Structures are given as structure tokens and as C-alpha cells.
Amino acid sequence: SIITTEMLELFKETLIEGKDIEKNINKARAVESISDQMQEQISTYLAECTKHELSLNSSKSAAVMMRLTNELESIGDSCLNLFFQLEKKLENDLKFNDDMTNQISDFYKDVIKFIDWNNLFIYDDIKCMKSDELSKSIKYENKIDDIRNNLIDLSRARLSEGSNAKSELIFMDIIKHLEHIGDYSLNISQALEQID
């Protein structure tokens, strides 16, 4: 979870400041590689645990941990995809206007709020998410979906007014990957609700 937060912070810096893009992309690749290795090691350990006779609670906990690990890895993949879009933007010498950059930045903040909310239950000692707390997660995810829809509409409107098509496609892909992080975050919340 710390790794995905670090990658998202790096994405924001790269998007807003627009410098050291190549260095930051390479750093993101390295961080994602560590995340992949961790997922593999944790999954192998949990799979090994399930081979032994576990109590019902222990077996359920192992399944929840496996799901959390997989969802966090999916967030890591989406983070890396965000960097690939910035790389494509750089390679094609494309520009985002201030509106586009600000819209991504604001959307990013909403996604980070959801991640921070889940992190309250993950850091230090994993805690169960109660049903009213899961309702808050659902509200976060619904808000992210609504913003995604609005931003895609704004992008289409810019296209109809003659905005650069390649820039807008990259903008839409960034929005899509941020929205996917919201989906995975809801999956994490649902897994946290299963903890006894």
C-alpha cells in the first residue's frame, strides 16, 4: 500500500512539474518490479499456509490477505500505466493545456482520498471495515465514477472544438486508469469487510 501511494505521488510530481519524466518513469518501473516480487512472495506464502489444516477463521483470513495482495498489485499496474501515458505524451511531444492538467490533478486528489481511507484499515494492523464504513467506500467509488464520466464528456467537447486528438486520447487513458484505481480500492474495502 505504501508502494502504490509512493508511485501515485511520483505520478503527480511528474504530471504537474513536467520534469525528470524519463528518470521518474524508470523509478516507477523499479518500484512496480519490487511490488511484483512482493506479491509473488506473499501469494506463495499464503498458498503454502492453505495447504495445512487451518481453522475456518485462519483459512478465511488467508483468502482475504490473498485478495488484498492481488488488488494492491492491480493498483500498482494501473500506476505504471499512468506513467506509460506520460511517456507517450513525451515521445510524441504533446501538451496538456492548464484545464487538462488541473482536471487530472483534481481527480487524482479524489482517488488519493479513497486510498488514504483504505490505508486507515491496512497500516500497522489490518482492521475490519464495518458496513457503515464500507458505505463510505461505495460513496468514494461512485464519486470517482461520476467525475470520470464528466471528464470524458469535457474531453469530447474539447475534441469537437478542435483540441489535439492525440493529447485528448492520452488524457482519457489517464482518467480511465485513475478510475480503475477507484475500482480496485472498492475491492480492497470489500475484502477488509470480510476480516473477523
Side-chain angles (χ1 to χ4, degrees):
S1 188
I2 294 168
I3 286 174
T4 56
T5 305
E6 183 184 334
M7 286 179 78
L8 281 166
E9 280 292 325
L10 191 61
F11 166 75
K12 184 186 77 171
E13 285 172 26
T14 312
L15 171 76
I16 304 300
E17 294 173 17
K19 56 187 179 186
D20 297 328
I21 291 178
E22 291 286 8
K23 186 181 90 176
N24 288 350
I25 287 167
N26 287 331
K27 188 174 176 184
R29 279 196 176 100
V31 171
E32 170 58 10
S33 177
I34 293 166
S35 174
D36 283 345
Q37 289 166 30
M38 286 173 63
Q39 185 211 16
E40 190 177 327
Q41 289 166 3
I42 293 167
S43 297
T44 302
Y45 171 75
L46 290 170
E48 194 60 37
C49 286
T50 59
K51 288 179 186 173
H52 304 286
E53 287 202 21
L54 298 173
S55 68
L56 188 60
N57 275 355
S58 296
S59 181
K60 191 176 172 186
S61 294
V64 168
M65 292 303 294
M66 187 84 80
R67 185 175 179 195
L68 283 174
T69 303
N70 290 336
E71 297 299 343
L72 285 167
E73 170 54 22
S74 294
I75 290 178
D77 288 342
S78 286
C79 289
L80 195 55
N81 280 321
L82 290 170
F83 280 95
F84 290 154
Q85 296 308 314
L86 293 183
E87 191 172 43
K88 199 188 296 182
K89 179 174 169 275
L90 177 69
E91 285 169 356
N92 291 281
D93 196 28
L94 300 168
K95 300 281 186 287
F96 284 165
N97 65 28
D98 287 346
D99 280 348
M100 295 163 83
T101 302
N102 290 337
Q103 285 163 5
I104 293 169
S105 182
D106 288 345
F107 190 34
Y108 162 91
K109 287 173 192 166
D110 284 297
V111 173
I112 283 290
K113 280 180 195 168
F114 195 177
I115 287 174
D116 287 345
W117 166 246
N118 275 337
N119 283 345
L120 294 174
F121 298 86
I122 295 173
Y123 280 157
D124 297 328
D125 187 24
I126 293 180
K127 297 182 280 291
C128 176
M129 188 176 277
K130 298 180 177 67
S131 59
D132 61 322
E133 293 164 333
L134 180 63
S135 295
K136 186 172 178 179
S137 294
I138 292 166
K139 283 178 186 168
Y140 274 124
E141 208 271 331
N142 286 340
K143 183 180 180 185
I144 286 168
D145 283 352
D146 289 345
I147 295 169
R148 183 267 324 267
N149 293 340
N150 183 45
L151 292 178
I152 295 298
D153 286 346
L154 288 171
S155 182
R156 287 182 180 137
R158 284 193 299 265
L159 272 171
S160 69
E161 291 165 8
S163 180
N164 182 285
K166 284 184 179 177
S167 293
E168 292 295 347
L169 287 172
I170 289 172
F171 173 89
M172 288 187 201
D173 276 342
I174 287 173
I175 298 306
K176 178 183 73 177
H177 290 303
L178 284 169
E179 190 272 329
H180 285 170
I181 292 171
D183 291 340
Y184 301 133
S185 296
L186 181 58
N187 292 344
I188 287 169
S189 296
Q190 289 167 339
L192 288 166
E193 194 199 21
Q194 299 300 310
I195 292 170
D196 291 320

